[in-house]
Amino acid sequence: MNQTADMIIIGAGIHGVSLAFHLAKRGFKPLVIERNTLACAATGRSSGLVRMHYDLEPESRLAWESFQYFRDWENRVGGDCGFTRTGFIQLVPEGFEAQLKGNIAMHQRIGIPSLLIDAADVRRLAPAFETGDIGLAAYEPESGYADPSASTSALMTAARQAGARLLQGANVTAIRVEAGRVVGVSSSEGEFDAPVVVNAAGPWAAGVAQMVGLDLPITTWRHDTMFIQRPWELRLGHPTVIDNAHSMYFRPETGGLTLVGLEDNNPLGESPDGYTDRAQPGFVERAIERICLRIPIMERAALHSAHGGYDGITPDQRAVLGQAGPQGFYLQCGFSGTGFKIAPAVGACMAELIVDGRASTVDISPFDPQRFEQGKLLKGEHDYGDIWH
Ligand SMILES: Cc1cc2nc3c(=O)[nH]c(=O)nc-3n(C[C@H](O)[C@H](O)[C@H](O)COP(=O)(O)OP(=O)(O)OC[C@H]3O[C@@H](n4cnc5c(N)ncnc54)[C@H](O)[C@@H]3O)c2cc1C
């Protein structure tokens, strides 16, 4: 006889697990099916930045709702998510000051602690930074980074305690549909029945959608990151920064390390099963050059390691959240390189959508999958341009 569950979630990254947590807290018994291990894909390679600075209001709202979890994790979830408050600075190239001000005003309207600062303020917050090119910047004093693997593990532990199940090492190979609605999945470990199936398969999401004949405009985005050992003078660390002027972001990491990622040269459309234990040739050299432009003393840093990861990316670089295809089939994917920090709230919203028919924590209707065929791609009111390329 097939095993049954209230809902089946395909994928045990931060998103599948966040959804399982919220469904289980509401009294349901979801089953998460993972072909490999918990947090083995995009989530395990995530840089873990936790900030609210987006140019699209619904994303800032999701990040702000999620932030309530990160800063109060022990009470809301239990265990540890490794949240480290470092303060967050958003730097923009010359000419984007109006957009920056517009976005900060939007964040403040939501209630997010976000301040407009200038180069002198940046120097006070980060004396080692080169600030000659900085006009204005945004500062979020509460923001920082968290540990994506630890967060996923803590959410899954809490979900299991509330009645969810996790099956690892089980590859979903088909989604069974009868009379226009999903009835379960077939996997390498057997058949499972449920009236709801959620696609939380990260960079594999387009393939999983194909199992119900759904064409999703999600491709893969590869992204490398580098860790360097900071010189002694910088042992106390520095804020977390998105530096659009140098198409880069960086944050401190434990053990006196700094993590650096670049916004350009992130290949699209590769196989999500590509090799990620090493960064692409040339990445480390480019990353070192960029970090030294912003923090010249990093010339004395030492390379620690570098690796890569894949996420699913959509044409407007925003998530796909909602129902599509056969009845009972839901999408929670396409996070386009920024999905970690919004996962706690996205899971709550998706649980509301599935159970109540509508999300109430944050209105996620802008992320509806139909927007692509309707030509209604999402765009920030004060956007900084297409930053992942
Ligand atoms: C290098 C890198 C850095 C990033 N940095 C940040 C950051 O600083 N801040 C931020 O907010 N976001 C960041 N992101 C984005 C963020 O990590 C992702 O958006 C998020 O982790 C996606 O989570 P997920 O659960 O959707 O996908 P994943 O973590 O990829 O999980 C999907 C899971 O589905 C499983 N799966 C797939 N197909 C099947 C199947 N057929 N059967 C069973 N299981 C299946 C996979 O094995 C995988 O474990 C980064 C991403 C990368 C790659």
Side-chain angles (χ1 to χ4, degrees), residues 45-268:
R45 286 295 161 91
S46 181
S47 303
L49 267 66
V50 172
R51 42 96 191 178
M52 281 66 79
H53 196 101
Y54 278 94
D55 62 9
L56 189 75
E57 186 166 336
E59 283 185 308
S60 287
R61 286 189 182 278
L62 286 170
W64 180 230
E65 283 300 326
S66 296
F67 185 71
Q68 312 314 318
Y69 287 82
F70 287 116
R71 73 168 162 194
D72 189 24
W73 195 268
E74 207 182 332
N75 289 321
R76 285 188 171 228
V77 180
D80 190 10
C81 69
F83 177 68
T84 307
R85 180 182 161 187
T86 61
F88 166 77
I89 299 175
Q90 171 77 51
L91 300 174
V92 295
E94 215 179 310
F96 282 90
E97 292 79 6
Q99 286 89 328
L100 186 83
K101 286 182 184 169
N103 288 325
I104 292 174
M106 179 262 282
H107 302 150
Q108 291 177 345
R109 208 168 55 240
I110 294 173
I112 295 167
S114 177
L115 305 166
L116 184 67
I117 61 172
D118 62 16
D121 297 319
V122 174
R123 267 196 304 280
R124 272 191 287 274
L125 291 164
F129 284 17
E130 168 57 51
T131 54
D133 62 323
I134 297 173
L136 295 173
Y139 181 52
E140 292 179 3
E142 303 292 324
S143 298
Y145 66 92
D147 178 335
S149 298
S151 306
T152 308
S153 170
L155 279 166
M156 196 64 235
T157 300
R160 278 168 132 165
Q161 283 163 357
R165 280 184 297 152
L166 168 67
L167 179 63
Q168 300 183 87
N171 187 31
V172 172
T173 50
I175 298 170
R176 286 181 282 107
V177 179
E178 285 172 15
R181 65 166 309 138
V182 296
V183 294
V185 305
S186 307
S187 83
S188 56
E189 301 303 306
E191 303 288 318
F192 298 89
D193 292 344
V196 169
V197 174
V198 182
N199 178 355
W204 293 269
V208 168
Q210 279 295 341
M211 294 179 188
V212 295
L214 196 64
D215 271 331
L216 271 190
I218 296 185
T219 186
T220 60
W221 168 83
R222 185 195 163 104
H223 184 63
D224 292 335
T225 50
M226 167 184 84
F227 295 81
I228 49 177
Q229 187 77 52
R230 289 192 300 275
W232 186 84
E233 294 87 333
L234 271 178
R235 68 195 177 285
L236 296 181
H238 50 73
T240 295
V241 176
I242 294 183
D243 184 348
N244 283 358
H246 295 317
S247 292
M248 161 182 70
Y249 68 85
F250 53 92
R251 68 157 173 87
E253 172 58 88
T254 49
L257 300 179
T258 288
L259 181 163
V260 184
L262 302 182
E263 291 167 356
D264 55 337
N265 269 336
N266 294 290
L268 300 180

Side-chain angles (χ1 to χ4, degrees), residues 6 20 52 281 328 339 387:
D6 289 337
M52 281 66 79
I387 62 156

Side-chain angles (χ1 to χ4, degrees), residues 10-16 33-37 40-43 45-49 170-172 200-204 208 211 221 223 225 249 309-311 335 337-341:
I10 304 173
I14 186 81
H15 277 281
I33 304 186
E34 166 58 50
R35 69 177 184 177
N36 198 335
T37 53
C40 65
T43 301
R45 286 295 161 91
S46 181
S47 303
L49 267 66
N171 187 31
V172 172
W204 293 269
V208 168
M211 294 179 188
W221 168 83
H223 184 63
T225 50
Y249 68 85
Y310 289 98
D311 200 2
F335 289 99
T338 73
F340 169 67
K341 69 183 79 57

